[in-house]
Amino acid sequence: MTPRDASDDSSRWSDLERPPLNAGALRRGLVRAGGLWTGVEVVQSTGSTNSDLVALAAAGKAAEGTVLVAEEQTSGRGRLDRQWSAPARSGLFFSVLLEPGDVPVARWGWLPLLTGVAVATGLSRSAGVDTALKWPNDLLVTVGEEERKAGGILAERAGDDAVIVGVGINVSLREDELPVPQAGSLALAGAVATDRDPLLRAVLRSLEHWYDKWRAAGGDPVASGLQETYAAGCATLGRTVRAELPGDRSITGEAVAIDGDGRLVLATEDGVQEPVGAGDIVHLRPA
């Protein structure tokens, strides 16, 4: 789908409780000489900001630090090609182009976890909501006494030199708008603010901060403080989980650590510590 610029659609004012993003103000607040963010584009609707930015990168039409934001995604994708959809202007749906060429490729797997730390930190400061991270890429909030997913992260390679990181965050979704009962939103979690402009600025500034620290350390998760910070905010650690792996294989055990490669380490009943680098993690309730 070809993205439509937000300024071209008068219907953007149809829900006054969900005003459109101000692209000009976002650029003024984020794009600066010597900074990471080189451009911010806001479109009214598109299939997937990740897909669009991958295509722009392949065509040489996007530089590092490009941010593409959609007021609505009609074919947003999560991990394992799951669909992500929400009402227009009810959340933050954006992708960024990163080129960490001075970091060994073996450490690029930390980028989704880095983004999780940045998103959680930025939202804590700007929305006043306590968030937690479910390995590897989910943002959790508490609604009532229930843990729910309010956001997700998807990283994709774009050629040999770039990574596109996409983020989706439910901001103002009401209970009757949730796609599944296990979903949540910042509003339902008691956010003190749901104005998406300052929320997006806070998240992107936090992402710039962590990305700069990580790159300065050559991608070293220990030297940059990333591994320790991620572990401190990870709701998966210390819990019994089931890892559903490719090939219809699964492992159950206690999540005991995040290793130097960003993998989740499970201690199984057999006394084996097994790292999981890819898979679907299910938090199991205590017996």
Side-chain angles (χ1 to χ4, degrees):
M1 174 181 288
T2 301
R4 292 183 285 125
D5 188 271
S7 62
D8 295 337
D9 194 336
S10 61
S11 68
R12 67 190 189 277
W13 291 105
S14 60
D15 186 346
L16 295 181
E17 293 183 357
R18 292 171 173 163
L21 292 165
N22 186 326
L26 288 170
R27 293 186 194 104
R28 290 191 295 273
L30 293 165
V31 178
R32 57 184 175 80
L36 173 61
W37 308 121
T38 55
V40 179
E41 297 298 326
V42 179
V43 297
Q44 181 65 25
S45 179
T46 192
S48 162
T49 56
N50 258 34
S51 296
D52 291 343
L53 203 45
V54 167
L56 289 171
K61 296 180 179 180
E64 181 175 41
T66 297
V67 182
L68 179 62
V69 191
E71 295 283 29
E72 179 183 31
Q73 281 195 129
T74 57
S75 302
R77 290 176 292 117
R79 288 181 62 253
L80 308 178
D81 286 329
R82 292 185 177 124
Q83 296 299 303
W84 177 284
S85 62
R89 301 183 303 281
S90 66
L92 291 172
F93 319 113
F94 66 94
S95 298
V96 301
L97 172 60
L98 304 175
E99 295 179 347
D102 48 352
V103 173
V105 172
R107 289 176 168 169
W108 289 15
W110 274 97
L111 281 171
L113 281 68
L114 181 156
T115 304
V117 167
V119 170
T121 303
L123 291 179
S124 176
R125 293 171 179 169
S126 57
V129 170
D130 288 332
T131 58
L133 300 167
K134 178 186 175 188
W135 188 90
N137 67 339
D138 288 348
L139 181 77
L140 304 179
V141 296
T142 301
V143 179
E145 297 183 355
E146 186 179 8
E147 195 174 65
R148 298 192 191 180
K149 177 180 174 178
I153 297 160
L154 178 66
E156 299 180 79
R157 288 287 293 269
D160 295 330
D161 304 319
V163 177
I164 307 299
V165 181
V167 178
I169 304 166
N170 292 335
V171 176
S172 64
L173 263 73
R174 300 178 284 270
E175 195 77 43
D176 61 350
E177 295 176 314
L178 297 175
V180 293
Q182 297 78 22
S185 69
L186 301 185
L188 291 173
V192 297
T194 56
D195 185 341
R196 293 177 304 140
D197 278 81
L199 295 181
L200 181 56
R201 288 196 298 271
V203 167
L204 288 173
R205 286 169 180 159
S206 181
L207 180 52
E208 179 176 11
H209 167 76
W210 277 103
Y211 183 66
D212 286 348
K213 283 187 66 175
W214 179 73
R215 287 188 69 172
D220 188 322
V222 175
S224 64
L226 178 58
Q227 186 173 6
E228 180 181 9
T229 304
Y230 184 89
C234 182
T236 303
L237 291 179
R239 299 171 75 155
T240 300
V241 304
R242 183 176 65 252
E244 298 176 347
L245 308 177
D248 293 327
R249 178 170 166 257
S250 67
I251 305 171
T252 298
E254 182 184 355
V256 295
I258 304 295
D259 73 9
D261 294 320
R263 298 177 299 179
L264 182 68
V265 180
L266 300 185
T268 70
E269 291 183 349
D270 299 328
V272 176
Q273 292 201 348
E274 186 159 351
V276 175
D280 209 20
I281 300 298
V282 179
H283 289 178
L284 301 178
R285 295 182 181 275

